[in-house]
């Protein structure tokens, strides 16, 4: 009998840790970032930066691109999906979301007047040519 009483708290703790809430706890934090981060690839060559940003289901008119103070800012918003309503109770999973999204990238020495962007098949492609005249980038000072 004393063993049963002593084992009761262990049983309660085991039940608590075995609940679905505890099993899904790690994915709660993992999944929180997936919808709010714009996945990006950036390539650099001697002549330009090439930026590719995954922005699925965005309307082109809702995307804003700005380059100022050596910083490229990409922002936009996507409306909530209307098909999320579940009147019949048959939705078993829902990961798509709407809302505002933004990212910034430090890309120095860009020719601001010749930046070009295209949005095709949910991917934003931005070409940022580098400044050819390096004298506008500052002045090097030698140390004696």
């Amino acid at each position: 009998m004393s063993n049963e009483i002593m084992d009761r708290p262990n049983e309660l703790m085991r039940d608590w840790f075995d609940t679905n809430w505890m099993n899904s706890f790690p994915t709660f934090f993992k999944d929180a970032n997936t919808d709010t981060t714009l996945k990006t690839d950036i390539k650099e060559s001697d002549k330009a930066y090439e930026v590719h940003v995954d922005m699925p289901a965005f309307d082109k008119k809702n995307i804003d691109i700005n380059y100022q103070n050596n910083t490229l800012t990409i922002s936009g918003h996507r409306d909530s999906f209307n098909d999320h309503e579940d009147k019949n109770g048959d939705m078993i999973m829902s990961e798509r979301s709407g809302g505002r999204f933004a990212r910034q990238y430090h890309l120095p020495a860009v020719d601001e007047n010749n930046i070009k962007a295209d949005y095709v098949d949910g991917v934003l492609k931005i070409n940022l040519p580098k400044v050819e005249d390096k004298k506008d980038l500052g002045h090097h000072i030698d140390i004696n």
Side-chain angles (χ1 to χ4, degrees), residues 51-60 63 65 117-126:
V51 178
H52 293 191
V53 184
D54 285 347
M55 299 183 79
F58 278 80
D59 190 332
K60 185 168 65 170
I63 299 172
I65 306 167
D118 291 307
Y119 181 65
V120 178
D121 296 331
V123 178
L124 178 65
K125 297 177 182 179
I126 308 168

Side-chain angles (χ1 to χ4, degrees), residues 19-53:
T19 63
N20 286 337
W21 177 79
M22 286 303 292
N23 290 337
S24 64
F25 194 73
T27 60
F28 174 78
F29 289 107
K30 178 180 163 259
D31 291 342
N33 262 348
T34 58
D35 288 336
T36 58
T37 302
L38 300 173
K39 306 297 184 201
T40 306
D41 295 332
I42 301 176
K43 293 190 292 186
E44 180 181 13
S45 69
D46 292 339
K47 297 193 181 276
Y49 297 102
E50 184 78 26
V51 178
H52 293 191
V53 184

Side-chain angles (χ1 to χ4, degrees), residues 7-140:
D7 196 38
R8 180 83 175 125
N10 291 337
E11 229 176 273
L12 290 173
M13 290 302 289
R14 226 179 354 262
D15 288 345
W16 188 71
F17 280 105
D18 285 341
T19 63
N20 286 337
W21 177 79
M22 286 303 292
N23 290 337
S24 64
F25 194 73
T27 60
F28 174 78
F29 289 107
K30 178 180 163 259
D31 291 342
N33 262 348
T34 58
D35 288 336
T36 58
T37 302
L38 300 173
K39 306 297 184 201
T40 306
D41 295 332
I42 301 176
K43 293 190 292 186
E44 180 181 13
S45 69
D46 292 339
K47 297 193 181 276
Y49 297 102
E50 184 78 26
V51 178
H52 293 191
V53 184
D54 285 347
M55 299 183 79
F58 278 80
D59 190 332
K60 185 168 65 170
K61 69 180 184 204
N62 295 331
I63 299 172
D64 186 48
I65 306 167
N66 186 28
Y67 183 82
Q68 186 174 7
N69 298 326
N70 295 325
T71 302
L72 175 68
T73 302
I74 301 168
S75 61
H77 71 275
R78 177 173 62 195
D79 295 328
S80 294
F81 292 93
N82 294 330
D83 59 354
H84 271 204
E85 292 183 27
D86 189 22
K87 295 177 182 133
N88 299 328
D90 52 2
M91 178 76 72
I92 60 170
M93 185 173 177
S94 176
E95 293 182 336
R96 300 179 305 147
S97 67
R100 295 202 61 71
F101 304 87
R103 290 285 303 265
Q104 291 187 316
Y105 312 91
H106 180 75
L107 302 170
V110 169
D111 181 356
E112 297 178 27
N113 297 320
N114 289 308
I115 298 173
K116 301 215 182 321
D118 291 307
Y119 181 65
V120 178
D121 296 331
V123 178
L124 178 65
K125 297 177 182 179
I126 308 168
N127 182 279
L128 299 99
K130 292 184 177 179
V131 177
E132 290 185 29
D133 188 7
K134 301 287 186 190
K135 65 182 174 187
D136 288 340
L137 300 177
H139 179 73
H140 178 75

